[in-house]
Amino acid sequence: MKKKIAIIMGGYSSEYMISLKSGNVVHKYLNGEKYFGYRIHILKDKWVYVDENTQEHPVNRHDFSVSLKSDTLRFDCVFNAIHGTPGEDGLLQAYFSLIDIPQTSCDYYQSALTFNKRDLLSVLKPYGIQSATSYYLNEGDTIRLEEIVEKVGLPCFVKANKAGSSFGISKVYEKDKLLDAIEKAYKEDDEIIIESFLDGIEVSVGVIKYKGKTKVLPITEIVTENDFFDYEAKYEGKSKEITPARISKAQEEKVSEVAKRAYDLLKMTGYSRSEFIFVGDEPFMLEMNTTPGLTEQSILPQQAGVAGISLSQLFESAIEEALNQNP
């Protein structure tokens, strides 16, 4: 019997359009011999199943079913393609756990932890996983510019703590530009992380569960035409993503080991994509994404392709892992 797979996409954050693209790619490449794929848009104002004729059918949030004319549609598994809230911060993971439907991303605790850059890096630090010197602000806190500069130096990065796709991020060279950057970050989140600038090669490391084992994918080097890997660089062609990365064997082995250790320490499942900057041969972690982009051009699918894993195989592996955890 073919399994019915709900591909959830959209979300409530600035990333919703990117998520819709990811979800449609999953729908396109899903193995039709094994699965029926259903596109589910989860948006602030509606949860709907969008059928092949683009007709919308409301989702019953009580049990995540869909009433059709002749039937009630119930799903065997949820494929999570939502970037940002509520698909990457634990909210939907907890919901699906409560109503007992398997889903492809990590569990709700890991989702909430990894979505919070400050908390993630703090949890991993005692295990020897390094990160940049940082300063934290919550909305309403007194902003002490001298204190910030003294701790992190200039240039520095000002980031929304819980946001993806480089929304709300600025690179700041002068103290008098800090306030503008902080205001920009507050438009995305009420928590901010300000980090010292690390000068080195930036890489992205995909780690997934594949056929029951933790697998590190080929590493991608990020070379941006812009000052840093911002939204324009990520999505508007202002960067080169080189896989495999042009790094030494020692760097490759070290960052692969660190990325795998972080994944296993956190008891992760599903996909992850962690960003690092090398200072010499030492990788410093920036963040971990647990619902990375899944379009044909996205980094994780590129890495899977170099590893000889097709999009269809990549998506199938996530579904089978979820189903096996919840038989």
Side-chain angles (χ1 to χ4, degrees):
M1 289 286 290
K2 286 190 190 181
K3 299 288 188 183
K4 296 183 178 73
I5 311 300
I7 305 163
I8 60 172
M9 59 188 89
Y12 303 167
S13 77
S14 301
E15 298 182 85
Y16 80 96
M17 287 301 296
I18 302 159
S19 171
L20 292 175
K21 290 180 182 178
S22 288
N24 281 312
V25 169
V26 175
H27 184 261
K28 176 181 175 182
Y29 286 96
L30 205 63
N31 184 345
E33 293 181 6
K34 288 190 174 183
Y35 312 114
F36 292 111
Y38 300 87
R39 289 174 294 183
I40 306 292
H41 289 193
I42 292 185
L43 305 169
K44 282 183 179 177
D45 58 342
K46 60 186 175 183
W47 289 19
V48 292
Y49 159 50
V50 181
D51 67 21
E52 298 304 317
N53 300 313
T54 68
Q55 295 294 309
E56 295 183 351
H57 308 269
V59 173
N60 182 340
R61 301 189 196 194
H62 175 69
D63 60 1
F64 206 67
S65 64
V66 179
S67 294
L68 303 175
K69 284 182 180 179
S70 58
D71 195 13
T72 298
L73 183 56
R74 300 185 188 278
F75 301 104
D76 297 298
C77 183
V78 170
F79 192 106
N80 184 5
I82 294 179
H83 315 309
T85 189
E88 200 168 2
D89 57 1
L91 294 178
L92 283 175
Q93 286 83 351
Y95 165 73
F96 289 120
S97 179
L98 285 170
I99 62 173
D100 202 27
I101 299 180
Q103 57 87 32
T104 57
S105 56
C106 57
D107 208 349
Y108 56 88
Y109 170 73
Q110 285 82 356
S111 300
L113 176 65
T114 53
F115 196 64
N116 187 310
K117 297 180 185 73
R118 301 186 331 195
D119 289 357
L120 169 71
L121 298 174
S122 297
V123 165
L124 292 176
K125 191 173 184 179
Y127 294 99
I129 295 175
Q130 300 184 80
S131 55
T133 301
S134 56
Y135 186 101
Y136 301 163
L137 277 175
N138 293 337
E139 198 160 21
D141 286 354
T142 301
I143 299 170
R144 297 180 171 89
L145 298 180
E146 293 287 351
E147 195 174 285
I148 294 169
V149 173
E150 186 177 339
K151 183 164 188 189
V152 303
L154 290 170
C156 65
F157 282 100
V158 179
K159 304 177 181 179
N161 187 40
K162 302 188 295 293
S165 297
S166 296
F167 285 108
I169 184 170
S170 303
K171 187 176 181 182
V172 178
Y173 290 87
E174 302 164 26
K175 185 177 73 174
D176 60 4
K177 299 288 176 61
L178 267 171
L179 279 176
D180 287 343
I182 289 166
E183 287 305 312
K184 178 181 176 181
Y186 276 143
K187 289 177 182 174
E188 296 295 329
D189 189 26
D190 61 359
E191 297 176 354
I192 287 175
I193 180 169
I194 304 174
E195 293 178 327
S196 58
F197 169 63
L198 300 175
D199 191 8
I201 299 168
E202 182 171 352
V203 296
S204 185
V205 187
V207 185
I208 63 174
K209 275 282 188 291
Y210 192 71
K211 298 184 178 177
K213 295 182 179 179
T214 303
K215 181 178 181 64
V216 181
L217 296 172
I219 297 161
T220 299
E221 179 184 351
I222 308 297
V223 181
T224 177
E225 296 174 21
N226 293 355
D227 198 19
F228 63 96
F229 196 43
D230 58 6
Y231 181 91
E232 188 181 53
K234 282 184 179 178
Y235 299 109
E236 296 175 6
K238 297 290 186 178
S239 69
K240 290 180 183 175
E241 295 151 5
I242 302 165
T243 312
R246 302 167 301 179
I247 54 178
S248 70
K249 191 68 177 174
Q251 290 173 321
E252 180 188 342
E253 289 175 354
K254 185 66 181 282
V255 78
S256 296
E257 185 272 328
V258 170
K260 182 178 185 296
R261 182 150 47 99
Y263 187 98
D264 289 339
L265 280 168
L266 298 176
K267 300 178 182 176
M268 288 285 296
T269 54
Y271 305 147
S272 78
R273 201 193 72 227
S274 297
E275 319 302 329
F276 296 88
I277 287 182
F278 282 104
V279 177
D281 286 342
E282 288 299 313
F284 282 64
M285 182 179 266
L286 302 177
E287 62 181 350
M288 181 188 289
N289 302 287
T290 58
T291 314
L294 296 173
T295 69
E296 291 97 332
Q297 294 78 33
S298 296
I299 292 173
L300 192 84
Q302 284 184 39
Q303 294 174 341
V306 173
I309 301 169
S310 69
L311 283 175
S312 181
Q313 291 170 323
L314 182 68
F315 302 151
E316 182 176 329
S317 75
I319 291 167
E320 293 305 315
E321 288 292 334
L323 291 170
N324 290 336
Q325 286 175 45
N326 300 271

